[in-house]
Amino acid sequence: MTTEPYAATREAVHEQRIDGFGTVRVLPLDPHADLAVVHAWVTEERAAFWGMTGFTAEQVLETYVHLDSLDTHHAFLAVKDGEPAGLLQTYEPAADRVAECYDVEPGDIGMHVLIAPAGPDGGRAGFSDGLLAAFTSYALTGLDRTRIVIDPDERNEKAIGRFLRNGFEPGPLVVLPEIDLPEVHLPEKRARLAFLTKEAASGAVLAQ
């Protein structure tokens, strides 16, 4: 029995064939249709830095419904060869708390990435790098931006190492201020900024 590719009928904002990896489709996240997948991922202990480990399905749904209502922040689901593979969130740095920590330049785009957990067969060599290649290609070419900024938790050494391995240049250690609003609460976060310019990517990630 063959399994129907996930979200096969939904339109992608970006589709890329990466040699030696596969085809990645980047879809706008549907908070309702993708809830089971997203809730399973963000509540795992490995996703602790995503900040949702204790969330119920309803809380995850509310979070992404709210995100879907914004013009400055967007969520996407990556599907690799028909299987859900990761989350991408983009944001306008000028409309985000990170703007208090660095000088935002025209053409900047912020990015958060969560890679899907490995299956029962264990590790997947090159999986994170392949998805990141598609994500950065979408941000820099699909959205026509000149620079990506990321702000992972300083303790998330695995994520920081992944970005640096893929051409990002390390930036300063900053403290993102707490956000406490009725619709969203984000605790203060010590983060390591890093940047990827379109010029740097053209000879690194986008060439993959």
Side-chain angles (χ1 to χ4, degrees):
M1 174 182 288
T2 58
T3 302
E4 180 73 18
Y6 188 89
T9 61
R10 283 161 54 185
E11 184 174 355
V13 296
H14 180 77
E15 184 167 336
Q16 184 174 353
R17 172 71 185 177
I18 300 173
D19 290 344
F21 180 65
T23 299
V24 179
R25 301 177 70 236
V26 180
L27 315 173
L29 185 75
D30 184 323
H32 293 87
D34 300 324
L35 180 59
V37 171
V38 174
H39 179 252
W41 290 353
V42 301
T43 54
E44 285 195 342
E45 188 58 36
R46 62 182 291 277
F49 293 115
W50 205 252
M52 296 186 180
T53 49
F55 278 32
T56 64
E58 184 63 28
Q59 288 173 311
V60 172
L61 177 62
E62 290 174 357
T63 298
Y64 283 101
V65 166
H66 170 67
L67 195 65
D68 195 44
S69 72
L70 303 178
D71 294 327
T72 56
H73 294 62
H74 303 282
F76 304 90
L77 180 74
V79 177
K80 174 191 176 292
D81 297 332
E83 294 291 336
L87 286 176
L88 169 67
Q89 291 179 197
T90 63
Y91 61 91
E92 300 296 335
D96 191 86
R97 59 180 178 168
V98 75
E100 299 186 31
C101 302
Y102 90 103
D103 293 328
V104 179
E105 297 180 0
D108 281 358
I109 184 76
M111 195 167 79
H112 298 301
V113 172
L114 179 65
I115 305 298
D121 295 331
R124 307 156 295 184
F127 193 88
S128 297
D129 293 347
L131 282 185
L132 192 55
F135 290 158
T136 55
S137 180
Y138 170 60
L140 294 172
T141 61
L143 297 178
D144 194 24
R145 298 306 182 98
T146 55
R147 186 172 67 161
I148 298 170
V149 57
I150 58 164
D151 59 3
D153 190 293
E154 67 164 338
R155 298 167 296 174
N156 194 352
E157 297 178 356
K158 185 175 181 180
I160 294 170
R162 177 193 309 136
F163 286 114
L164 298 184
R165 186 174 68 242
N166 283 277
F168 282 74
E169 292 292 330
L173 178 65
V174 301
V175 178
L176 302 182
E178 179 184 27
I179 302 295
D180 192 5
L181 299 173
E183 65 274 12
V184 62
H185 175 258
L186 297 172
E188 180 180 276
K189 183 175 84 169
R190 290 176 60 86
R192 172 65 68 183
L193 300 187
F195 303 89
L196 179 70
T197 64
K198 183 174 287 186
E199 291 77 13
S202 65
V205 179
L206 297 183
Q208 294 182 27

